[in-house]
Amino acid sequence: MGPLARPRQHIDRKDLYTNLEARIQYLHSFIDFSSNDIEALISGSKYIKQLIPAIVNIVYQKLLQYDITARALETRSTSYEGPVDDNLNENSPQILHRKMFLRAYLSKLCSDPSTLEFWEYLDKVGMMHTGRGREHPLHVEYVHIGACLAFIQDTLTEALLSHPRLRLDKKIALVKAIGKVIWVQNDLFAKWYVRDGDEFAEEMEKQEVEAEGFLHGKRILEDIEEGLPSSPTCPFSGLSAAEKTGACGGCEDKAEKENGCSSRLPIRPHVETN
């Protein structure tokens, strides 16, 4: 007689659209998001935080490569088809402002994912990109959201796997855990774009308009610089110059600079698009 099959779990379809906690529990169960992933994220958060400034620069370099995504940074909508300001660049005030929030958001991904508040904020991030819950609406079409999340995951994965000071088992655990979080975030974007479950619209939670970085009137995003060491050691100081690109401005630590460290992420050539 073969091994006993696991009992089939019942998932209430209505709950997936009207109860965020039930949706999160289902996703966690399906992708095997467990205490091991939570431990990997919490213990590895310091390594991810060291990467965040360079990753933010890389992401905005990518967004500014295309007029349709650059346009959203200027007009708050990817459906607007007017001209893009030719002077818009990484140092433009609105780009510096958006970089600040992306740094804080990526830092939030390094916080405790065992709380419902963590997932509620990720759900709110999804909602805010569809023109809801903001005094000044933002409309970013889903194709760009999915592409950007994929780009962030690819960049993080390569950077973590290239880290010279992390053991292989730690790298694998951290890459798996952050990948699961990003895919749940992807779902929490998609739920605000797709029309599945529209018949339950009247019973879905109503979203209130709040300032960015707040959830239920409470400030969620903190300044990413808080909690970082004043003289951080560059996580890529052990890599050769040939493995680095100009994604980051370099280490702030004088000793690291003298040793030739540039704090740049090792990015494959195919990342750049002409």
Side-chain angles (χ1 to χ4, degrees):
M1 184 175 180
L4 293 176
R6 289 183 179 181
R8 182 174 290 118
Q9 297 183 47
H10 170 68
I11 303 297
D12 188 283
R13 178 171 175 265
K14 180 179 177 181
D15 276 353
L16 295 179
Y17 300 103
T18 61
N19 185 329
L20 178 63
E21 186 172 6
R23 187 179 184 113
I24 294 300
Q25 288 175 349
Y26 168 65
L27 292 170
H28 284 185
S29 175
F30 199 103
I31 65 176
D32 294 326
F33 185 83
S34 69
S35 58
N36 291 333
D37 296 299
I38 294 174
E39 180 182 354
L41 285 169
I42 293 175
S43 64
S45 64
K46 62 181 179 181
Y47 300 106
I48 297 177
K49 285 184 177 181
Q50 288 175 329
L51 301 172
I52 287 175
I55 289 174
V56 168
N57 287 340
I58 290 171
V59 168
Y60 275 89
Q61 287 171 11
K62 177 62 71 173
L63 293 174
L64 290 169
Q65 284 182 16
Y66 307 97
D67 58 356
I68 196 166
T69 46
R71 188 178 294 122
L73 300 173
E74 183 181 8
T75 68
R76 308 181 68 81
S77 176
T78 55
S79 62
Y80 172 76
E81 296 186 358
V84 180
D85 183 359
D86 290 334
N87 295 318
L88 190 67
N89 59 62
E90 287 188 75
N91 295 314
S92 298
Q94 61 265 53
I95 303 302
L96 294 175
H97 179 72
R98 296 316 313 163
K99 282 185 174 184
M100 177 184 68
F101 277 101
L102 181 57
R103 286 196 301 270
Y105 166 76
L106 293 175
S107 183
K108 181 65 177 175
L109 294 187
C110 300
S111 62
D112 185 2
S114 66
T115 66
L116 182 61
E117 180 185 84
F118 177 93
W119 305 102
E120 284 181 321
Y121 184 71
L122 266 58
D123 183 50
K124 183 175 181 179
V125 169
M127 177 267 295
M128 290 190 302
H129 284 75
T130 62
R132 302 176 176 92
R134 299 175 67 114
E135 184 177 353
H136 304 289
L138 173 67
H139 297 271
V140 179
E141 293 161 308
Y142 180 69
V143 59
H144 314 295
I145 296 293
C148 190
L149 285 175
F151 184 71
I152 290 173
Q153 181 176 8
D154 182 67
T155 306
L156 265 174
T157 298
E158 186 166 12
L160 290 170
L161 291 179
S162 302
H163 201 293
R165 296 177 189 147
L166 271 174
R167 297 200 318 263
L168 180 59
D169 60 323
K170 296 291 186 181
K171 291 179 180 181
I172 292 172
L174 192 51
V175 165
K176 287 178 64 178
I178 196 66
K180 292 176 184 180
V181 170
I182 290 174
W183 272 94
V184 174
Q185 173 69 94
N186 182 62
D187 174 75
L188 296 178
F189 270 109
K191 75 185 278 280
W192 293 100
Y193 287 88
V194 301
R195 304 190 67 84
D196 299 352
D198 269 4
E199 64 267 39
F200 306 124
E202 292 299 319
E203 299 176 60
M204 293 180 184
E205 182 181 355
K206 300 298 184 293
Q207 296 294 329
E208 57 183 316
V209 175
E210 293 186 287
E212 191 163 3
F214 283 76
L215 177 69
H216 307 319
K218 175 184 175 183
R219 186 173 186 85
I220 294 296
L221 296 187
E222 303 295 339
D223 187 347
I224 192 173
E225 300 302 328
E226 295 177 4
L228 287 182
S230 57
S231 297
T233 299
C234 173
F236 297 107
S237 56
L239 298 177
S240 68
E243 293 175 299
K244 300 175 180 178
T245 63
C248 175
C251 248
E252 294 300 324
D253 187 86
K254 182 179 179 182
E256 292 285 352
K257 285 185 177 180
E258 290 174 351
N259 290 329
C261 169
S262 66
S263 185
R264 296 170 182 168
L265 293 175
I267 303 301
R268 294 187 299 273
H270 78 263
V271 167
E272 296 302 326
T273 304
N274 293 326

